[in-house]
Amino acid sequence: MKISRRGAFKVAAFGAATAAGARKAEAREKKEAPADATGMLYDATMCIGCKACVSACRRANSLEMEAHSRLYDDPIDLSANTANIIKFYEGEDGTSFIKQQCMHCIDPACASACMMGSFQKRQNGIVTWKPERCIGCRYCQVACPFNIPKFEWNSATPAMVKCQMCLAKAGTTNDGQLNEVGQPACTEVCPRAAVIYGPYEELKAEALRRIAENPDRYEDHVYGLDEVGGTQVLYLTAKGIPFSKLGLPELGTESVPALPVGLQHTIYKGFIAPVAVYGVIAGLVWRSRRQYDKAGEEVGA
Amino acid sequence: MNNQHGKPTPIGGPIMTPVMKICLGLAAVSGLMLIFRFLVGLGPVTNLTDGHPWGLWIAFDVVTGTALACGGYAIALLIYVFNKGKYHPLIRSAILTSALGYTLGAVGVMIDLGRPWLTWKLPIFFWTWNLDSVQLEVALCIMLYTAVLWIEMAPVFLERWETEDSKPKLQAFAKKWTPILMKAMPWLIALGIVLPTMHQSSLGSMILLAGPKLHPLWLTGWLPFFFLISCIAMGYGMVVLETMWSRTVYSRYRETSILTALSPAMVVVLLVWVAARLLNILAAGKIGYAFQLDRFAILFWLEILLFLAPAIILMMKPTRSDKDRGRLFIASGMMVTGGMLLRFTAYWFAYNPGQHWNLYFPSLFEIFVTVGLVAAEVAAFMYIIKRFPILTGRPSAALPT
């Protein structure tokens, strides 16, 4: 087949139309935390690894124990039974504990992935999950840069489990309120106030204040301030033990949804492009079929 | 086009051939296995984990399977957008392969979903739609396109029912609906071109949400473009392979010349793909990753090779002998493999959730279910072409059917 100039033009136009979005992909603006945002601040230099928060999280969320040693509750990672965990780090540079749970991103990739808005930022900017909108596609797990949402692999009717800051029990439907103390179970029981709950802006200021007052004690980095566009859970670590060693991934400052969602909204802005393309193609189809009809051609698929 | 290829006719012949029996057997076993999957959940039967939540069923059945089923899209583009009526004899088998391939993809999704009983809400509960979700667009498009493909196939069934004098109700139904369908057809065909353009590119955008977990060589805003262009190459490649298969197995002598006539167009498509891929990596300053001597660099160059080599093969001077067919076969095979590799890499090999997660490899259960689904698709294809007017071309009297 010879490609006519018109044909070549069509190929080019077709390609250009598709690629047009790629160039303006960074157009999506940065999201800010909602005005009523609350969060948590975990200070690794204050944590003594008692794991009271792990037990309290289980009780508050009715999650089963994970006794791998068969002696006591010793989860090895976050799972469908463990929405909050304390891990121990030991290296040449010293030892540290680290708490892990949902980071409650300001621009959460899980919520951007979720087709019917099962995952959403709800009250206080906290990311919660609604079972009645979840079909179990696990796109949230693919999307989350912290690998937080966990799937009940051994259930015929699986739920997604993750920390919901005790606004609702992990993996359940009840849209509860914070307990009578007005804070999540883990911060409530922490005997050293190594993890505290409060308004996001106050926590940010507090974290920066601690570093400023004790520059020898802390790494000069508040994890979560800028990572993936900011998270409502913030971390401090001891001088000499960078976050990457504690299992918190090194991430850029752009939110994960910025590229794909920016791309998508550019290509499908106002749904104009698909409708226009449909109109043009319908015209071309009509023309072709009329020609075939004239030629006595058989029509149909 | 003149009618030298003849009208499409059913192949005829016995249905229960040995190949059919094997296919049905495989499909039945995987059907039984699936009962178990829905009783115990995904964990016990798959190698999926919280680190690798998507495996073979998504990477192959859905992402690759629907791209392999793009023959209908590629041929419709040629006939209607590029006005090449001579490809009309290929359209029916291409659309049938597409309809079956997309149905397989849809079934694959339902098997993979953790909470499939809520899927009915997706096309209906429009007020819950999250317009940020690329997957929402993909899911709705695939649902709609699968329906469009079967409606595009409808004339094939109606045509046969119209002649069934023994079943007057079926006959009346066919007579009533054929003209209505013919009026609606241009609008459906246009939909059948726009929908794959949308979701085949969006399948590329979709995995970009893996962000830092995706290797930088594939984390690019151009991935949707690469997915779209490659699905056209794959669709064409599949049409060639399928045409050659039906030629060999069912002795339907269709002109290979109309297939080879497509070569220049494919050369353009393939070279555009290779050039864009390389330029994009260069412009993004990521070319260093391609020379790191790790498995990602190897996958990247293998991908380039599988798109570049068929372009070179198709550019060779025709010998006007059987050699041409051999070349076309190899080039088509490479294009299809290249597109498959791109999808497997983006959705599987280049997806790294972190150091402490083991690499994913599908369980035997996952592999067997996929094999069973493909077997069911092949069985349905063989049945339909034997009983319904799909294939054109003269059956060869010289060879037994």
Side-chain angles (χ1 to χ4, degrees):
Chain A
M1 148 181 147
K2 276 250 163 58
I3 303 180
S4 65
R5 273 175 58 191
R6 251 163 62 99
F9 175 73
K10 278 185 209 163
V11 176
F14 187 69
T18 341
R23 254 168 272 145
K24 289 185 280 175
E26 282 106 293
R28 189 172 188 253
E29 56 190 69
K30 190 180 183 299
K31 293 207 171 172
E32 299 297 334
D36 67 340
T38 56
M40 294 199 294
L41 170 63
Y42 172 80
D43 187 334
T45 68
M46 286 161 77
C47 177
I48 52 168
C50 69
K51 303 212 267 185
C53 58
V54 179
S55 306
C57 176
R58 284 208 198 296
R59 274 197 306 278
N61 292 294
S62 314
L63 296 171
E64 274 173 43
M65 275 216 320
E66 279 193 65
H68 292 278
S69 62
R70 297 180 181 278
L71 291 173
Y72 47 83
D73 188 16
D74 56 351
I76 42 178
D77 206 345
L78 294 176
S79 73
N81 286 319
T82 304
N84 169 45
I85 194 169
I86 294 288
K87 289 181 180 175
F88 177 61
Y89 166 78
E90 186 170 28
E92 284 168 11
D93 34 18
T95 61
S96 179
F97 293 101
I98 185 75
K99 184 177 185 291
Q100 280 177 1
Q101 74 296 303
C102 176
M103 302 291 286
H104 299 280
C105 301
I106 289 171
D107 189 1
C110 59
S112 144
C114 196
M115 292 192 284
M116 289 191 280
S118 177
F119 274 115
Q120 255 176 44
K121 274 181 102 61
R122 298 198 167 92
Q123 191 187 327
N124 303 122
I126 290 164
V127 183
T128 59
W129 176 79
K130 278 199 170 179
E132 63 270 25
R133 301 278 167 81
C134 172
I135 63 171
C137 71
R138 309 186 297 285
Y139 191 26
C140 50
Q141 294 193 294
V142 170
C144 177
F146 303 101
N147 294 306
I148 295 298
K150 302 296 176 189
F151 181 77
E152 291 180 334
W153 292 100
N154 295 322
S155 165
T157 57
M160 299 304 308
V161 176
K162 74 169 194 69
C163 158
Q164 314 200 73
M165 215 87 88
C166 290
L167 267 185
K169 275 186 184 181
T172 63
T173 179
N174 59 325
D175 254 320
Q177 292 290 314
L178 290 173
N179 59 25
E180 58 275 15
V181 192
Q183 56 176 314
C186 57
T187 59
E188 183 196 347
V189 299
C190 183
R192 296 260 298 159
V195 60
I196 54 172
Y197 173 82
Y200 182 55
E201 291 303 324
E202 283 176 28
L203 293 177
K204 269 204 307 204
E206 172 65 14
L208 293 168
R209 188 188 64 80
R210 286 186 197 179
I211 292 179
E213 281 184 6
N214 290 296
D216 298 334
R217 183 183 169 111
Y218 295 103
E219 280 284 299
D220 187 16
H221 178 187
V222 181
Y223 192 91
L225 217 51
D226 298 312
E227 276 77 10
V228 287
T231 60
Q232 283 174 228
V233 175
L234 302 170
Y235 284 88
L236 289 172
T237 182
K239 190 102 192 158
I241 307 180
F243 291 110
S244 58
K245 294 205 172 164
L246 301 179
L248 291 174
E250 285 180 62
L251 297 166
T253 56
E254 192 183 67
S255 82
V256 172
L259 172 67
V261 176
L263 196 62
Q264 193 75 352
H265 283 315
T266 312
I267 299 173
Y268 291 100
K269 194 168 188 182
F271 216 64
I272 294 164
V275 173
V277 171
Y278 180 72
V280 171
I281 290 179
L284 290 171
V285 171
W286 180 79
R287 179 204 60 178
S288 300
R289 286 175 67 92
R290 202 181 49 163
Q291 285 178 5
Y292 303 151
D293 279 347
K294 271 189 188 159
E297 191 55 33
E298 174 209 348
V299 290
Chain B
M1 165 199 125
N2 58 44
N3 233 345
Q4 61 180 354
H5 304 286
K7 273 176 79 93
T9 48
I11 299 249
I15 296 291
M16 278 297 163
T17 58
V19 179
M20 183 64 125
K21 282 178 189 161
I22 292 169
C23 285
L24 289 179
L26 286 171
V29 174
S30 93
L32 288 174
M33 290 167 80
L34 284 175
I35 297 175
F36 187 61
R37 171 258 170 273
F38 283 106
L39 288 176
V40 300
L42 286 163
V45 295
T46 68
N47 282 348
L48 298 173
T49 59
D50 286 319
H52 287 280
W54 283 354
L56 183 70
W57 292 344
I58 294 295
F60 180 76
D61 301 7
V62 185
V63 178
T64 308
T66 59
L68 289 172
C70 274
Y73 170 52
I75 299 296
L77 266 181
L78 268 180
I79 298 179
Y80 297 108
V81 176
F82 295 96
N83 209 15
K84 304 285 172 196
K86 65 175 170 181
Y87 293 100
H88 221 275
L90 298 176
I91 192 75
R92 280 197 175 177
S93 60
I95 296 273
L96 176 63
T97 318
S98 297
L100 291 169
Y102 269 82
T103 306
L104 178 145
V107 173
V109 169
M110 294 306 281
I111 294 167
D112 188 80
L113 286 178
R115 304 159 62 84
W117 64 90
L118 294 178
T119 313
W120 64 271
K121 289 183 176 178
L122 194 59
I124 299 168
F125 283 23
F126 60 88
W127 59 92
T128 71
W129 286 353
N130 170 19
L131 298 181
D132 276 3
S133 175
V134 183
Q135 200 191 48
L136 175 80
E137 185 222 319
V138 171
L140 294 175
C141 266
I142 287 184
M143 283 180 183
L144 195 55
Y145 184 51
T146 309
V148 167
L149 282 167
W150 284 110
I151 300 173
E152 284 185 316
M153 277 315 287
V156 171
F157 300 100
L158 294 178
E159 221 169 81
R160 186 183 140 180
W161 292 338
E162 265 189 7
T163 61
E164 298 229 17
D165 294 327
S166 58
K167 293 172 188 155
K169 267 193 182 162
L170 209 55
Q171 199 175 29
F173 175 83
K175 284 201 167 132
K176 185 184 160 200
W177 280 96
T178 304
I180 298 170
L181 198 58
M182 285 306 154
K183 276 221 177 85
M185 201 49 89
W187 302 101
L188 282 167
I189 292 170
L191 208 51
I193 293 171
V194 174
L195 290 175
T197 311
M198 286 169 69
H199 67 252
Q200 284 299 334
S201 57
S202 291
L203 279 167
S205 319
M206 193 166 116
I207 196 64
L208 293 180
L209 196 60
K213 296 190 213 170
L214 191 60
H215 190 276
L217 284 172
W218 287 270
L219 183 65
T220 153
W222 281 66
L223 201 63
F225 180 72
F226 301 141
F227 266 59
L228 179 66
I229 297 300
S230 65
C231 92
I232 296 170
M234 287 166 88
Y236 167 68
M238 285 303 284
V239 169
V240 171
L241 297 180
E242 185 265 309
T243 305
M244 288 188 173
W245 174 66
S246 62
R247 179 192 168 98
T248 314
V249 178
Y250 300 112
S251 310
R252 283 271 164 154
Y253 278 81
R254 288 191 275 173
E255 296 282 338
T256 343
S257 66
I258 79 168
L259 294 175
T260 41
L262 257 178
S263 300
M266 277 305 115
V267 170
V268 173
V269 166
L270 292 165
L271 290 181
V272 163
W273 193 95
V274 171
R277 187 85 172 96
L278 288 172
L279 281 175
N280 174 235
I281 290 301
L282 276 170
K286 289 180 180 170
I287 194 72
Y289 289 107
F291 293 101
Q292 292 217 323
L293 288 179
D294 56 10
R295 64 194 158 99
F296 302 108
I298 294 170
L299 286 167
F300 174 76
W301 289 112
L302 194 58
E303 205 180 285
I304 297 278
L305 181 74
L306 285 169
F307 282 93
L308 187 60
I312 294 169
I313 293 172
L314 292 175
M315 277 191 287
M316 286 184 201
K317 226 178 167 181
T319 58
R320 308 204 179 282
S321 68
D322 273 0
K323 239 186 177 174
D324 287 351
R325 250 203 338 264
R327 282 182 190 166
L328 187 62
F329 179 80
I330 291 169
S332 299
M334 282 180 147
M335 275 151 53
V336 169
T337 317
M340 287 174 74
L341 182 70
L342 170 67
R343 285 158 177 78
F344 271 61
T345 310
Y347 276 81
W348 174 359
F349 308 144
Y351 176 87
N352 178 13
Q355 292 304 324
H356 69 293
W357 291 101
N358 293 328
L359 285 178
Y360 161 82
F361 194 80
S363 68
L364 280 176
F365 189 99
E366 288 173 84
I367 295 171
F368 208 93
V369 165
T370 295
V371 169
L373 283 180
V374 174
E377 186 187 352
V378 173
F381 185 80
M382 289 191 299
Y383 171 77
I384 294 174
I385 61 169
K386 281 181 177 172
R387 288 292 173 265
F388 294 91
I390 304 287
L391 294 187
T392 52
R394 296 177 297 271
S396 165
L399 289 162
T401 38

